[in-house]
Amino acid sequence: MYFIICVIAVLIDCIVGDPKKWTHPVIYIGNMISFFEKKWNHGSGSRRRINGLLTVFLTISITTGSVFLIVFLAIKIHLLLWLVFEIFLISLALAQKSLKEAAMLVYDSLEANDLAEARKYLSWIVGRETNHLDEPEIVRGVVETVSENTSDGVTAPLMYALCFGATGAWCYKAINTLDSMIGYKNERYADFGFAAAKLDDVANYLPSRISGWFLIIFTKCETAKPFKHRYKNWLKDAKKHPSPNSGYLEAATAVQLGIRLGGFNRYGGVESYRAYMGETYETMQRIHIKKAIQHMYVCTWCVVITGGILYAIACTWG
């Protein structure tokens, strides 16, 4: 049943996206995390870790419990109402169209040769400073963001939805939102966000690797390199990323497109270096933004199809 629900949810998110006049549930999760952070992010390192763990527990419990209660009450009223809520809530947990739209704002600005506008739109989706970037670096920022969020924002919540419905998808969204807000290795969050960062690493461990594998297998390779060479480089480069999971998506994208990701970024005036992934067979061009978006869709439907195959096997054996 969840397979059919997820197929409809993916189509709705792909075509319609998030309701424009609604406040997205992630905003409420973010507000809750901000409340706990302001209240509890103080004291010694051990105290901060305990408070951070409590923040993680409460955020996940409230989010997951709320979604579970909604779908539980819905099915008590009528099966059709349950189906509507499951489809709607799962579609809200996915970010295909919003990610595509954010990336295309940058692409369209580059097409209009408006670097200032492209830098502005890029700053909406990345944490690095953008006001000094040239076109290849702007493109790199978009490609890296689309690639990383293919798992974070689409395939990971979809995999949890296929297994556990809307409740599973939103449990993952709570974990991922915690990590994106407090899972930083800086003075403010190193202790308070420790539990959030580690839990996100665990929650996205399999989805990121499965998604990267789908990218390597099923997306178009833009180089003449054989599969064995690309597969080997993917596994090697993925481990260079500071995140134990994000590298599997970015390295796969770099290998398939024949481009090099990573390099120097600037945060708060301080330059930071991220190890290079991929080999430079062609220079970074704006068309790579569209190709990264195509990768996202291919990867998403690979997850759906795989879910369908497993569902058919389960039905046959059941």
Side-chain angles (χ1 to χ4, degrees):
M1 179 63 77
Y2 282 140
F3 167 69
I4 298 171
I5 289 172
C6 285
V7 170
I8 300 172
V10 167
L11 289 172
I12 290 174
D13 178 58
C14 182
I15 299 169
V16 180
D18 300 328
K20 301 301 182 184
K21 295 183 179 180
W22 287 34
T23 302
H24 199 281
V26 168
I27 301 298
Y28 295 113
I29 297 174
N31 290 339
M32 179 166 49
I33 296 168
S34 295
F35 172 79
F36 292 140
E37 194 270 335
K38 290 176 183 177
K39 187 176 180 65
W40 290 333
N41 190 12
H42 54 76
S44 65
S46 59
R47 168 54 63 182
R48 286 190 178 192
R49 286 203 177 191
I50 293 171
N51 288 346
L53 182 60
L54 182 59
T55 296
V56 168
F57 174 77
L58 289 175
T59 301
I60 295 173
S61 297
I62 293 170
T63 302
T64 307
S66 298
V67 175
F68 177 81
L69 183 61
I70 290 170
V71 296
F72 176 78
L73 293 175
I75 200 169
K76 288 294 184 181
I77 296 171
H78 198 281
L79 178 62
L80 183 59
L81 185 63
W82 174 76
L83 287 171
V84 170
F85 272 105
E86 282 282 351
I87 291 168
F88 178 66
L89 288 170
I90 292 172
S91 70
L92 280 180
L94 307 178
Q96 295 172 99
K97 189 171 184 182
S98 59
L99 188 56
K100 174 188 175 181
E101 288 175 342
M104 288 304 296
L105 285 174
V106 182
Y107 176 86
D108 291 339
S109 298
L110 292 175
E111 282 287 280
N113 295 313
D114 192 340
L115 280 182
E117 195 81 348
R119 291 169 183 145
K120 181 186 76 173
Y121 289 133
L122 177 61
S123 71
W124 292 2
I125 57 175
V126 299
R128 71 194 69 170
E129 294 179 12
T130 63
N131 56 4
H132 65 290
L133 299 181
D134 59 12
E135 181 169 328
E137 285 296 297
I138 292 171
V139 172
R140 176 170 75 88
V142 179
V143 171
E144 288 177 349
T145 297
V146 172
S147 179
E148 178 180 351
N149 282 285
T150 291
S151 179
D152 285 354
V154 186
T155 58
L158 178 58
M159 289 180 196
Y160 282 99
L162 284 165
C163 295
F164 307 109
T167 304
W170 280 98
C171 178
Y172 171 79
K173 292 295 285 186
I175 294 170
N176 190 244
T177 305
L178 280 159
D179 179 63
S180 67
M181 291 185 65
I182 62 175
Y184 297 102
K185 295 179 181 179
N186 55 30
E187 184 177 353
R188 180 174 179 177
Y189 295 120
D191 290 311
F192 185 77
F194 178 81
K198 292 302 179 182
L199 185 57
D200 184 73
D201 290 345
V202 172
N204 205 15
Y205 184 89
L206 285 178
S208 64
R209 285 154 178 78
I210 293 170
S211 299
W213 189 81
F214 282 149
L215 288 180
I216 287 289
I217 298 291
F218 295 109
T219 61
K220 179 183 177 182
C221 175
E222 303 292 337
T223 72
K225 292 296 180 182
F227 173 78
K228 185 176 180 180
H229 175 85
R230 290 182 282 115
Y231 187 81
K232 181 179 178 181
N233 282 353
W234 168 56
L235 293 178
K236 178 188 69 175
D237 287 351
K239 297 173 184 177
K240 298 177 182 178
H241 199 284
S243 165
N245 296 323
S246 298
Y248 285 88
L249 276 300
E250 291 188 27
T253 298
V255 166
Q256 290 299 93
L257 294 183
I259 58 177
R260 190 175 69 174
L261 299 177
F264 291 93
N265 300 319
R266 189 180 298 166
Y267 301 90
V270 179
E271 196 165 63
S272 173
Y273 171 74
R274 180 178 293 178
Y276 291 115
M277 292 179 287
E279 301 170 278
T280 308
Y281 293 102
E282 59 177 283
T283 57
M284 200 80 69
Q285 302 172 47
R286 62 189 67 161
I287 191 61
H288 289 125
I289 294 176
K290 284 191 170 183
K291 290 179 179 180
I293 294 171
Q294 291 170 359
H295 282 192
M296 174 188 68
Y297 284 124
V298 169
C299 196
T300 301
W301 284 104
C302 282
V303 172
V304 172
I305 292 168
T306 301
I309 293 171
L310 294 175
Y311 174 72
I313 293 172
C315 290
T316 301
W317 287 356

